[in-house]
């Protein structure tokens, strides 16, 4: 039971992390210090995509599922839960571009707000 809870928790944290990567830059409009955490999260997300790195949260979820007697993830987190589920796999490049545009727009908003303050 404990490993199943750990797997579900890792999955939920992973979803939250992805939401933060996509939308977290907008939090910096209200709380400017968040931008540094978001820059780190966005850089990590970009590195995972560009260099096909394994995310530690995927590892935790996968191992916890196996220990709970479930099948582990056959693919990465995004490939398992998002690609082909939330959006068709053929639109992966477009989704990635949209995410980049959203992050860039949030950073543009941060710059505008910072300039107005200063």
């Amino acid at each position: 039971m404990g490993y199943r809870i750990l797997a579900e928790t890792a999955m939920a944290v992973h979803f939250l992390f992805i939401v933060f990567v996509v939308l977290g830059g907008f939090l910096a409009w209200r709380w400017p210090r968040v931008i540094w955490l978001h820059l780190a999260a966005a850089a990590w997300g970009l590195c995972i995509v560009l260099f096909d790195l394994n995310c530690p949260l995927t590892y935790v979820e996968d191992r916890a599922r196996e220990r709970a007697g479930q099948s582990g993830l056959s693919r990465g987190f995004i490939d398992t839960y998002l690609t082909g589920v939330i959006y068709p796999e053929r639109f992966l490049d477009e989704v990635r571009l949209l995410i980049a545009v959203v992050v860039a727009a949030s950073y543009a908003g941060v710059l505008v707000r910072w300039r107005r303050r200063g």
Side-chain angles (χ1 to χ4, degrees):
M1 177 80 169
Y3 284 113
R4 184 168 179 255
I5 292 170
L6 177 61
E8 298 298 325
T9 301
M11 180 182 63
V13 169
H14 216 150
F15 271 119
L16 291 173
F17 179 79
I18 290 172
V19 168
F20 181 70
V21 167
V22 176
L23 300 174
F26 293 106
L27 292 175
W29 292 21
R30 175 78 169 103
W31 299 287
R33 291 183 183 175
V34 171
I35 196 67
W36 303 111
L37 181 60
H38 188 264
L39 282 168
W44 175 249
L46 184 63
C47 286
I48 285 176
V49 169
L50 292 179
F51 304 117
D52 197 30
L53 300 176
N54 294 321
C55 180
L57 288 169
T58 302
Y59 178 82
V60 169
E61 180 188 351
D62 191 40
R63 295 305 168 265
R65 290 202 184 282
E66 289 174 353
R67 294 205 181 227
Q70 300 174 340
S71 61
L73 300 177
S74 60
R75 305 176 299 168
F77 179 86
I78 291 174
D79 294 332
T80 300
Y81 296 112
L82 301 178
T83 304
V85 177
I86 303 294
Y87 53 86
E89 189 170 349
R90 68 181 181 272
F91 293 126
L92 178 61
D93 291 335
E94 289 84 353
V95 169
R96 287 179 175 171
L97 179 62
L98 178 62
I99 291 168
V101 168
V102 169
V103 171
S106 72
Y107 289 171
V110 167
L111 288 174
V112 167
R113 292 182 67 88
W114 283 356
R115 286 185 178 174
R116 285 184 183 165
R117 285 184 180 180

